[in-house]
Amino acid sequence: DELCFEFGLELDEITSEREIISKEQGDSKASDASDVILYKIDVPANRYDLLCLEGLVRGLQVFKNKLEAPRYRRLSPDSGESQRLIITKETAAVRPHAVAAVLRNITFTQERYDSFIELQEKLHQNICRSRSLVAIGTHDLDTISGPFTYTAKAPGDICFRPLNQTKEYTATQLMSLYKTDSHLRHYLPIIEDKPVYPVIYDSNDIVLSMPPIINGDHSKISLKTKNVFIECTATDLTKAKIVLDMIVTMFSEYCAQPFTVEQAEVVYPDGKTCIYPELAYRKEKLSGEFINKKVGIRESTERIAQLLTRMCLLSQPTGVGDEIEVEIPPTRPDVIHACDIMEDAAIAYGFNNITRTTPHTYTVANQFPLNKLTELLRQDLAAAGFTEALNFALCSQEDIADKLGKKISETRAIHISNPKTAEFQVARTTLLPGLLKTIAANRKMPLPLKLFEISDVVLKDESKDSTFFPGRCAEIFVRGTSVGRLGVLHPDVIGRFELTMPCSALEMDLEPFL
């Protein structure tokens, strides 16, 4: 726990497979589970180099000065001719970018193989945005032959045997097959409406993969695989480069020449040729004073350079004043600004080691009057036996119109120009729909259900309210200004929320009471 904290991470839990299953499914289901200790560690979302055991252990060893940060190198193949991936113009309509590389003479064990697959899945869910930006394909190079062609074809024209299947399917059949697959069905919408699907062939017309859905079974990797061909197809080239760099840097330590990667050529439709992986090192310069001032410490440039080197950022004083030159390796795409370097210096120094000081400037803080009033109201309502609900500020048009007995054209609603879902089409003009939906979701609970919500609403123009039962409602005025309404909700409104019991409500604007 202490080591993780020193490195800027958080040890979330120490558990075991048996303990996890026991909690979720009961002791009877956990009888055959493993007792091996598992450490759950929270990793920052942009630290892709810490998503696998190899990167995490390597980073901790460098941090504790037990290992020097490795130097990653891109090599030409011994044969002199690089593997080539040729992109055709048809891919522009669906997934235009691709990068590639080769891990040569790699040695897998079961643990290494599992970590290799797990890292791909973590990257897919993280930087790849569920494969919508980047999809990773890994293949046993000894089962295929280059050059490889990345193209796009009509679904009916693509036919191959997908991973872990026993027969061939067309792409159209695969989309139907995987609609019920708990894992792959989430990726189908990425391409299913496209006129053509992306596909990668080798020189013998063997399908390597149909990104971003599935790889071919012919080229699948195993524990016996010695040479791995890695391809990443993408809609975002920058993300694809990062993903490729991350995979090869993490697992090149298992190659015959550790931390070396064999280059591959990618030929674009216009004839342009690029060499991947880039494995680019870049240098930044900043002053020791900048870091000292921002972190709140007083260290020499030599000491700051040592701190940064412990974070895998090889650094040294330039000799010009207090200037420090910092080298950012290809494993650290999260470092994009001097502030990121400063943060790593603070982590290496130790947040608990920073001396507490009194601020040089003073301010008088006060709670906003509206917040103070609402907090008092929350306490009183809770003391009266009401439970506070917190609902989304966005809702559907139906919630604030049809279900409340209104026409959407008559409401004072602000409409979202590009709603991502029907549940978030407009900003709420009233708190009632959210509360009624909360009651509907909890209608099996014992009555009475007493809820309240104090939150913002968004209003545009005046409209007539027909939410309440005629003759059973009242309008509230403060100093001649209408601030709300109370009364019995109309039976039609209650029915639209699938409720069967009468409901009364009070809604009012609190700002006039300030």
Side-chain angles (χ1 to χ4, degrees), residues 424-468:
F424 301 119
Q425 295 173 318
V426 294
R428 63 184 175 189
T429 57
T430 168
L431 301 179
L432 279 176
L435 288 171
L436 292 172
K437 288 170 76 173
T438 301
I439 294 174
N442 294 275
R443 54 177 174 263
K444 292 184 179 179
M445 301 294 289
L447 298 176
L449 292 176
K450 299 165 67 177
L451 303 181
F452 78 94
E453 182 173 9
I454 301 176
S455 298
D456 294 330
V457 296
V458 183
L459 304 174
K460 189 171 62 173
D461 357 87
E462 293 294 333
S463 65
K464 183 180 178 181
D465 194 344
S466 57
T467 303
F468 296 91

Side-chain angles (χ1 to χ4, degrees), residues 13-25:
E13 185 181 5
I14 300 176
T15 184
S16 66
E17 186 183 69
R18 180 191 296 272
E19 188 175 342
I20 293 172
I21 296 175
S22 179
K23 285 181 180 179
E24 295 178 353
Q25 303 177 28

Side-chain angles (χ1 to χ4, degrees), residues 29-69:
K29 299 287 186 180
S31 57
D32 297 328
S34 171
D35 285 318
V36 175
I37 298 298
L38 300 176
Y39 295 90
K40 289 188 176 182
I41 300 174
D42 284 339
V43 175
N46 60 352
R47 287 299 302 270
Y48 316 121
D49 58 314
L50 303 180
L51 289 177
C52 63
L53 184 62
E54 287 75 10
L56 180 60
V57 171
R58 194 180 307 160
L60 288 172
Q61 286 182 321
V62 174
F63 179 71
K64 300 300 287 185
N65 293 317
K66 294 184 177 181
L67 178 74
E68 288 188 7

